[in-house]
Amino acid sequence: MNEFHDTGERRRSSDTPLLITDLIDEETVRSIAQEAWSALIGDDEFLVPLPGGPPDDAVSSWVDVVGPWTGTVVLTCSRATAEELARCLLAEHAPPVLDAEDVHDALGELANVVGGNVKAVLPGPSALGLPELGSIPAAGPPADTCRVDLLWRGRSLTITVQGSAGAVHITPENNPQKNEVPL
Amino acid sequence: MRALVIDDSKVMRRIVAGILEGLGYEVQQAGHGREGLDVLAGGWVPELVCVDWNMPVMDGLQFVSAVRSNPTWRHVTIMMVTSESEHGQIVRALAAGAHEYVIKPFTADAIRDKLALLGLLPQDVVR
């Protein structure tokens, strides 16, 4: 696990921006996600570090982190996977019929938990934004992106920790186009 | 015993409320701090409040400060249940008047253990 050690030196505005690849690695992100899955989805739920390919009907939820490193933690999966995650998250508290809000909420909460714990290993202090949901956000620059491709129950799932520079999120508000996937 | 669960996530509210109801609590829910204060101001004052940190309208830290500034609600035990896990944030929450702090992700056992520490497990659950 990468750990940030505060040397007491203070950064100047002219300093080179922090890059996420210098602050956290894929294994740490996977480990954080696995802990969230074990606690919230189930003890026997495992995230296998294998790429499953991007789903056709991808939906994403993300939280912004603002601090010495500023960027976004994004959870992306298919609509069907999001529904299954919501059902598992709610378990015995699930209503007979899940509505779209339940699915949005569940995916947002998972992004929130993973994002909050990613933030905890980054240099602070940092602020965590509220979860947002939409189509896959634009990827940040590769040097400032830590991407983990996982399989959960054989379904593809991606967690991306990406710097904010140049990244423009596509939301239902600013892109009501054909790639929008209503839940 | 009564508990108020405040979280902007309906899913998370259901989960926390479900755990507490399983322990014998009567539970009400609110979607943000302001709604939570409205519940208290309406006269439904619980022994326990479980409150998230990051919420729209009024966040958890503002809620804790508001409750602690009202002598009528001084006896209410507040447990923050949040994904904010930075040491500095935990210190801020406790300094503002929260009694306990549960970091998401959590298990039902973690909630139960914290309630036991606070002496807030209903007697028939303790036995």
Side-chain angles (χ1 to χ4, degrees):
Chain A
M1 177 181 281
N2 270 351
E3 288 186 11
F4 178 78
H5 299 285
D6 188 349
T7 61
E9 294 179 22
R10 292 291 165 259
R11 293 177 57 77
R12 298 183 302 271
S13 59
S14 58
D15 286 348
T16 306
L18 293 172
L19 296 175
I20 197 64
T21 45
D22 294 329
L23 303 172
I24 198 168
D25 57 22
E26 289 88 348
E27 178 51 28
T28 303
V29 175
R30 192 202 63 76
S31 170
I32 287 169
Q34 180 59 63
E35 191 183 341
W37 252 246
S38 297
L40 297 174
I41 305 298
D43 280 339
D44 299 325
E45 300 291 346
F46 296 101
L47 293 170
V48 181
L50 284 174
D56 293 334
D57 58 346
V59 289
S60 295
S61 186
W62 60 87
V63 289
D64 291 330
V65 176
V66 179
W69 177 84
T70 292
T72 306
V73 181
V74 189
L75 171 62
T76 300
C77 62
S78 71
R79 174 184 171 175
T81 305
E83 289 176 357
E84 195 168 343
L85 283 169
R87 206 163 279 290
C88 290
L89 186 59
L90 281 161
E92 69 269 26
H93 313 299
V97 179
L98 281 180
D99 60 26
E101 187 190 350
D102 292 325
V103 180
H104 290 185
D105 220 39
L107 200 60
E109 194 55 34
L110 285 168
N112 180 45
V113 171
V114 173
N117 285 279
V118 165
K119 178 175 89 84
V121 300
L122 299 179
S126 300
L128 193 66
L130 295 172
E132 298 181 56
L133 189 119
S135 300
I136 300 174
D144 199 15
T145 298
C146 177
R147 176 187 165 122
V148 182
D149 292 305
L150 301 161
L151 288 180
W152 171 66
R153 296 185 175 182
R155 297 168 179 269
S156 171
L157 195 144
T158 301
I159 297 170
T160 310
V161 186
Q162 58 189 49
S164 63
V168 177
H169 288 140
I170 301 165
T171 68
E173 285 71 37
N174 67 16
N175 183 30
Q177 294 179 6
K178 54 185 174 290
N179 64 343
E180 185 54 36
V181 181
L183 281 172
Chain B
M1 283 204 270
R2 302 200 289 192
L4 173 63
V5 177
I6 310 173
D7 198 308
D8 57 325
S9 162
K10 190 171 80 171
V11 164
M12 195 49 68
R13 285 202 306 271
R14 272 202 209 132
I15 291 170
V16 176
I19 292 169
L20 294 173
E21 284 165 354
L23 293 171
Y25 274 87
E26 178 190 346
V27 180
Q28 280 208 26
Q29 302 180 23
H32 51 72
R34 171 54 58 192
E35 271 187 19
L37 287 180
D38 289 345
V39 171
L40 299 183
W44 198 88
V45 182
E47 285 83 4
L48 172 71
V49 176
C50 294
V51 60
D52 186 20
W53 187 305
N54 292 308
M55 295 180 289
V57 185
M58 177 186 275
D59 69 26
L61 197 63
Q62 292 170 320
F63 172 84
V64 173
S65 299
V67 170
R68 287 295 164 249
S69 67
N70 186 330
T72 312
W73 301 331
R74 283 265 164 83
H75 68 283
V76 175
T77 298
I78 302 178
M79 184 159 74
M80 295 208 79
V81 182
T82 173
S83 56
E84 284 284 357
S85 52
E86 282 182 25
H87 177 70
Q89 302 286 65
I90 297 172
V91 170
R92 281 179 70 199
L94 297 177
H99 294 83
E100 264 298 349
Y101 201 98
V102 176
I103 296 171
K104 298 175 185 174
F106 58 82
T107 61
D109 285 345
I111 300 279
R112 186 194 154 107
D113 290 348
K114 294 286 187 183
L115 292 178
L117 281 174
L118 293 165
L120 285 175
L121 274 185
Q123 282 304 307
D124 53 338
V125 176
V126 175
R127 287 192 202 106

